[in-house]
Amino acid sequence: MLKINENYQKLQGSYLFSTIAKKVAKYQADNASAKIIRLGIGDVTRPLTPTIIRALHSAVDEMADEKTFRGYAPDLGYDFLRKAICDNDYRARGCDIEDDEIFVSDGAKPDSGNIQEIFSADSKVAVCDPVYPVYVDSNVMAGRAGDFDEATGRYTNLVYLPCSGENGFRPEMPREDVDIIYLCFPNNPTGAALTKDELQQWVDYANSKGSVIIFDAAYEAYISNESVPHSIYECSGAKECAIELHSFSKNAGFTGLRLGYAVVPKDLKRQGVSLHSMWARRHGTKYNGAPYIVQRAGEAVYSPEGKREIQGLVDYYMENAKYIMSGLKEAGYTVYGGVDSPYIWLATPGKMSSWEFFDHLLTKASVVGTPGVGFGSCGEGYFRLTAFGSHESTREAVDRIKNL
Ligand code: MLT
C-alpha cells in the first residue's frame, strides 16, 4: 500500500503567511468598509524600476525573433548573470568567489527550502528562535526535526538558538554539536544584524566543528552600518564552511518575477565530497533554470543606472522604517531592528500575546502585522512590521497605532 511522507503530518498548521492571509480575508469579508493596511508579509510595493523594465522588454523582443530566441536556460544560470553577480556582490567586496560558484535560481525561499537535500537525513540542525519558518518546515518535511512538542512549541530534534532582547537578538553558539546552522543576517524577523567580527566567530566555530552554515543574505541591501558584512565570504575561512543565499526580491522588487542565487564554493567539502558538485547535480536534475528574460532583468540590476534605482528603492523603504521606529517609540513601544533591515520588531504592549496583539491591531486599527510567535516560541510577546508599504499607507498605519 502506498505510504505518504508522514513527516508532513508533523508540520504545524499552515504556512504562517497563509494563516495570516486567511484571517485578514475573513476580517475584510466581515468588515467590507475597513481600509486594511498590510505590513505583514515582507512583500514589496514599489514597481520595478525603469532600467529593469527596459531590460525585460528588450529580452521579450529577443524571444520573438528566431535569431535571438532562447529555449532552456543553462541550468546553473546564464554566464552573463553569474559574472555580473560575482563582479558586483563578491569581487567588488574583496571576496574570492568565482562565477561558476554562483547557482542562479528562482529565489532564496526555494533555495533555503531545497538546500537541505544534499545533507544526510540524520544531520543535526540548528536554527535561531525566532526564525524564518522555511528553514524549520523544510527540515520537518525531510524528517530531521523530530516531533512537535506542544508544551515547548518546538521540534524535539532541532537545536534552537534563542534570540531575545537580552542578547540583542544575536544567537549564542550551540551547546551541543550540530551539523547544519541556519543564519539569516540582517535577520528576518528581528531586524538584528551581526558585525563582521561576530560573524567571523560563527565561521571559526563551524570550521572547528565541521558544521556547514547556510547563510541567508536576502536583506543585505538594507545594511547601513559599515561594521556589518554584506556577505559571509568577507570572513576568512567562510569558503570552507558556508553556503550563501541571495534574493533579488527585497532589493530590486522581484517578488513577482522570481530570481535568486546560491553560492556554493568549490572549497566546501565534507567526507571528501564537494558540496558544489552535489548542488550542481541537484540543480541540474530538478531545475530548468530561471527564465531568460528574468535573468536579463537581474543583469540590469547591476548596471550603473540599475544600481542607482535599486538604491532609491532601498532608501524609500528605509524612510518607512525610520517613520515606524520613531512613531512607535513616541507611542511608548519598545522597538528593535529597522536600521540595517526593513523589519521592525516590537515588544507587544502590556501582557498581550503576539496573536492577541495581531487581533487587536487588525480589529481596532485595520493594520496587519506578523505575530512574533509565528516565527518560534522565543517570538512570543513580539510582533513584526515591515517597511515595504507605500509612504502614505505606512504613515497612516503608524498614526492609527499611535491613536489606539
Ligand atoms: C517574510 O515576510 O518573512 C518574507 O517576505 C517571506 C519570504 O520572503 O518568503
Side-chain angles (χ1 to χ4, degrees), residues 46-300:
R46 298 291 85 206
L48 297 169
T49 68
T51 300
I52 306 301
I53 294 294
R54 268 196 305 278
L56 284 169
H57 279 300
S58 134
V60 167
D61 288 343
E62 284 184 64
M63 294 299 253
D65 184 335
E66 187 177 355
K67 288 192 236 38
T68 47
F69 169 78
R70 315 271 183 141
Y72 288 126
D75 46 27
L76 308 185
Y78 280 104
D79 288 346
F80 63 79
L81 180 57
R82 298 172 95 188
K83 180 174 180 335
I85 290 169
C86 213
D87 282 345
N88 290 279
D89 289 348
Y90 296 101
R91 284 188 278 269
R93 295 190 173 124
C95 303
D96 176 25
I97 295 293
E98 292 170 18
D99 297 3
D100 63 357
E101 294 176 311
I102 310 285
F103 295 80
V104 175
S105 73
D106 59 346
K109 177 177 174 178
D111 280 346
S112 66
N114 293 331
I115 194 74
Q116 47 75 31
E117 282 185 30
I118 63 172
F119 300 106
S120 155
D122 60 5
S123 305
K124 197 82 177 162
V125 174
V127 292
C128 295
D129 182 3
V131 67
Y132 181 46
V134 176
Y135 315 150
V136 170
D137 287 358
S138 55
N139 280 292
V140 173
M141 291 169 178
R144 276 186 206 98
D147 295 316
F148 187 74
D149 179 354
E150 295 285 350
T152 58
R154 291 176 160 188
Y155 286 93
T156 50
N157 208 29
L158 294 181
V159 173
Y160 290 87
L161 310 172
C163 297
S164 64
E166 285 87 69
N167 59 18
F169 302 100
R170 293 179 191 85
E172 277 146 37
M173 306 287 158
R175 298 217 175 96
E176 58 189 287
D177 286 354
V178 295
D179 302 306
I180 305 167
I181 304 165
Y182 287 83
L183 294 178
C184 170
F185 286 97
N187 186 255
N188 180 14
T190 67
L194 289 186
T195 64
K196 186 170 163 189
D197 290 347
E198 288 166 336
L199 190 56
Q200 183 66 56
Q201 288 174 27
W202 280 96
V203 168
D204 294 344
Y205 172 87
N207 275 327
S208 73
K209 301 281 183 189
S211 342
V212 170
I213 297 175
I214 313 293
F215 189 72
D216 186 344
Y219 298 94
E220 66 81 19
Y222 291 85
I223 293 170
S224 58
N225 193 324
E226 289 204 344
S227 63
V228 175
H230 288 254
S231 163
I232 196 165
Y233 304 115
E234 291 177 44
C235 298
S236 62
K239 279 170 58 176
E240 283 85 51
C241 68
I243 291 171
E244 183 162 283
L245 310 179
H246 266 257
S247 169
F248 284 75
S249 291
K250 315 295 175 174
N251 58 342
F254 280 31
T255 53
L257 275 190
R258 306 310 308 152
L259 192 66
Y261 67 87
V263 183
V264 188
K266 284 178 256 174
D267 291 348
L268 180 49
K269 298 195 171 112
R270 289 297 179 267
Q271 294 178 277
V273 177
S274 153
L275 300 195
H276 178 275
S277 304
M278 288 180 77
W279 188 240
R281 186 71 173 82
R282 191 267 172 211
H283 217 56
T285 301
K286 294 200 178 183
Y287 186 58
N288 260 340
Y292 173 69
I293 57 173
V294 178
Q295 294 199 46
R296 280 291 182 203
E299 181 191 32

Side-chain angles (χ1 to χ4, degrees), residues 295-311:
Q295 294 199 46
R296 280 291 182 203
E299 181 191 32
V301 166
Y302 296 105
S303 66
E305 319 79 65
K307 282 185 194 169
R308 245 190 331 273
E309 292 167 8
I310 268 69
Q311 188 57 50

Side-chain angles (χ1 to χ4, degrees), residues 15 17 40-43 109 132 188 219 250 343 375 384:
Y15 183 57
F17 295 105
I41 190 163
D43 194 4
K109 177 177 174 178
Y132 181 46
N188 180 14
Y219 298 94
K250 315 295 175 174
Y343 292 126
F375 297 101
R384 194 193 76 175

Side-chain angles (χ1 to χ4, degrees), residues 352-375:
M352 266 193 224
S353 71
S354 297
W355 277 111
E356 280 165 355
F357 189 66
F358 173 89
D359 289 334
H360 178 68
L361 223 55
L362 181 60
T363 56
K364 300 286 186 294
S366 297
V367 171
V368 181
T370 309
V373 72
F375 297 101

